[in-house]
Amino acid sequence: MTQEELFKSLIAHAKEYGFIFQSSEVYDGLSAVYDYGQLGVELKNNIKKYWWDAMVRLNENIVGIDSAIFMHPKIWEASGHVGAFNDPLIDNKDSKKRYRADVLLEDYIAKLEEKIEKEVEKGKKKFGETFDEAQFRATNPNVLRNRVKADEVTAKMNESLNSGDLEAVRQLIIDCEIACPVSGSRNWTEVRQFNLMFSTQMGSVSEDAGTIYLRPETAQGIFVNFLNVQKTGRMKIPFGIAQIGKAFRNEIVARQFIFRMREFEQMEMQFFVRPGEEISWFEKWKEARLKWHLALGLGESKYRFHNHEKLAHYANAAADIEFEFPFGFKELEGIHSRTDFDLSQHQKFSGKKMQYFDPETNENYVPYVVETSIGLDRTFLAIYSSSYCEEKLENGEDRVVLRLPAFLAPVKLAVLPLVKKDGLPEFARKIMDDLKYDVNCQYDEKDSIGKRYRRQDAIGTPFCITIDHQSLTDNTVTIRYRDSMEQERVPVEDLRKIIEEKVSMRKVLEQI
Ligand code: GAP
């Protein structure tokens, strides 16, 4: 199965089992907006808790807030979003389809990279053990030609985007002979800048209505509350403020399921530090955040850092943690050293001081900020996509299993009476009524036990317990493990300990 087919299967699976639905599906859907179903919301809440506890509970100097989505419109002028939160877009005149000009070019570069990798694979097969990859990359004419082209287009694209030369961006698309995937033509319009913020009106139209924006990031809610939290919480620098909340962006190219959405959730933390200490904090947070990801156990090779060479005007260091999604390595989290840009801008635009008095140095200053910003939906997709497995069992049967980290699984325990009679359902209910206070349990008595196991495998339930006639006489049940499918007989009174031990978030938090 190709990665593309696998990705399609997991999207279908997410719908079939109540993880994610297309928004407004009965009205044919709303593009790039999704609803989380009954199991999706459980998984999402567990991810939020893992992030929140790692940030707020484990760090005495980090506190959380929940700021409003609507904010004063001047905030977005101060932050630079009104002026510069743009994507370059281009239309194809024949298909009338709209594209992000930079994405057309990035896809073109990705195809060249793919060709290079295919050539290397061919070389590996041809030369076997004697294959010298470095030499092959440095000498093979096809690899070299595509390498030069990819580097050249990347450099020209970065140069024209950074200088805001939209005509040069268009010319590059034409020079690369990029065609519209729908019409196949190269009949392109000019490239225009398109602001990504959604706007709406506050107040009744007849009165003094003003344009306000749906926040495109949660970070600004933290910046404008910096002094409120610092003073009321008696926080001393260095300290952090964390927040989980919705953000909205009118993405032109919204695709790859929940990877790029128009309404999504961010988990952001702004860490306020002394000027001059920001780079060492930036390095510390890079390391701490990677540890948080690795403790999920999805595999070290799934993650890599991408250090930004070209920095935004307000940053003096920036890196992304990229994850290997089914469509390749892409940004999952950004860690940015944002200097004192945001607080200074709010000081300027609001006319209110954003300074901190440092009792240790007896100085007043605008703190510097190191930000960690991760998409909740992207984290969901990272976990979901790397947990999704289609397996062929030894007996020839197929099974779909979600190998979710046990502590994040939406349902931790399925309680299954072997038959619907002889007192087994009542016995099962008693166990469930006891354990439901500790973990999320699901009771199921419909269909054969094999079918019920499959249903639980498909939603990632780490444990199933089966109650049979022996249970009534010796107070034992069979516990079945999702990943190994092994079963063992255990006393009912041991269940809580066995399950809690395996689904404990504490154990994971202790690793980070
Ligand atoms: N405050 C900094 C900030 O917002 P960003 O790189 O634009 O930085 C941070 O966004 C994270 O939010 C990204 O790494 C990504 O995980 C997530 N994100 C951004 N745009 C998204 C979208 N359209 N859909 C889903 N997640 C998105």
Side-chain angles (χ1 to χ4, degrees), residues 97-153:
K97 287 272 171 200
R98 179 163 290 175
Y99 299 93
R100 252 175 72 176
D102 55 334
V103 171
L104 284 180
L105 288 166
E106 277 168 7
D107 286 351
Y108 176 81
I109 296 162
K111 276 195 193 124
L112 293 172
E113 299 284 356
E114 236 173 69
K115 280 187 188 162
I116 294 173
E117 294 315 311
K118 272 198 185 140
E119 202 64 39
V120 173
E121 280 308 309
K122 256 171 49 192
K124 259 188 204 157
K125 275 199 192 130
K126 190 169 162 196
F127 296 108
E129 285 193 354
T130 59
F131 183 64
D132 180 341
E133 190 174 326
Q135 199 199 358
F136 187 85
R137 285 182 188 272
T139 53
N140 179 279
N142 291 339
V143 170
L144 285 177
R145 197 184 51 252
N146 287 322
R147 179 78 276 139
V148 168
K149 183 84 190 156
D151 291 347
E152 200 182 283
V153 177

Side-chain angles (χ1 to χ4, degrees), residues 18-35:
F19 283 91
I20 298 174
F21 308 122
Q22 173 75 61
S23 161
S24 322
E25 199 186 348
V26 289
Y27 290 96
D28 297 331
L30 188 64
S31 168
V33 187
Y34 290 91
D35 297 337

Side-chain angles (χ1 to χ4, degrees), residues 216-217 219 249 251 258-261 264 266 268 331-334 336 338 371 373-375 377-378:
E217 61 171 16
R249 295 182 189 177
E251 301 281 1
I258 55 168
F259 180 80
R260 195 175 298 286
M261 301 154 87
F264 57 100
Q266 289 184 315
E268 298 201 292
E331 177 186 339
L332 172 58
E333 170 157 12
H336 301 145
R338 297 181 68 123
E371 166 185 77
S373 174
I374 177 170
D377 312 270
R378 275 189 201 179

Side-chain angles (χ1 to χ4, degrees), residues 217-322:
E217 61 171 16
T218 59
Q220 297 304 323
I222 294 179
F223 288 122
V224 297
N225 277 299
F226 156 70
L227 276 184
N228 284 337
V229 174
Q230 190 270 318
K231 287 191 173 137
T232 57
R234 293 179 293 123
M235 307 301 290
K236 286 211 173 73
I237 272 179
F239 75 91
I241 305 179
Q243 165 156 240
I244 299 176
K246 290 268 186 177
F248 304 83
R249 295 182 189 177
N250 198 0
E251 301 281 1
I252 303 160
V253 181
R255 58 179 183 181
Q256 287 154 335
F257 194 34
I258 55 168
F259 180 80
R260 195 175 298 286
M261 301 154 87
R262 297 203 164 105
E263 174 180 340
F264 57 100
E265 251 176 294
Q266 289 184 315
M267 305 189 285
E268 298 201 292
M269 193 277 299
Q270 313 294 323
F271 200 70
F272 301 91
V273 303
R274 269 189 202 138
E277 293 185 359
E278 71 278 8
I279 297 299
S280 80
W281 280 111
F282 168 75
E283 294 300 337
K284 277 188 197 140
W285 277 111
K286 263 177 77 178
E287 201 184 309
R289 292 304 304 145
L290 186 62
K291 261 185 155 181
W292 182 90
H293 287 282
L294 294 181
L296 286 168
L298 305 179
E300 217 172 317
S301 63
K302 289 264 178 194
Y303 300 89
R304 70 181 186 196
F305 276 118
H306 168 233
N307 294 314
H308 292 207
E309 276 156 31
K310 281 256 169 243
L311 294 170
H313 60 282
Y314 52 78
N316 62 2
D320 295 335
I321 294 177
E322 294 186 339

Side-chain angles (χ1 to χ4, degrees), residues 346-404:
H346 290 308
Q347 184 165 275
K348 192 165 131 198
F349 278 71
S350 69
K352 309 267 164 42
K353 282 240 177 300
M354 290 281 169
Q355 291 194 336
Y356 169 79
F357 175 73
D358 194 326
E360 282 177 37
T361 60
N362 269 332
E363 275 177 310
N364 269 309
Y365 54 79
V366 177
Y368 272 44
V369 172
V370 175
E371 166 185 77
T372 72
S373 174
I374 177 170
L376 174 56
D377 312 270
R378 275 189 201 179
T379 312
F380 188 111
L381 184 59
I383 293 167
Y384 196 86
S385 62
S386 51
S387 302
Y388 179 84
C389 281
E390 292 182 11
E391 291 180 345
K392 199 51 85 249
L393 300 179
E394 274 173 14
N395 63 7
E397 278 179 25
D398 294 318
R399 105 163 162 152
V400 174
V401 55
L402 266 192
R403 295 181 186 277
L404 295 170

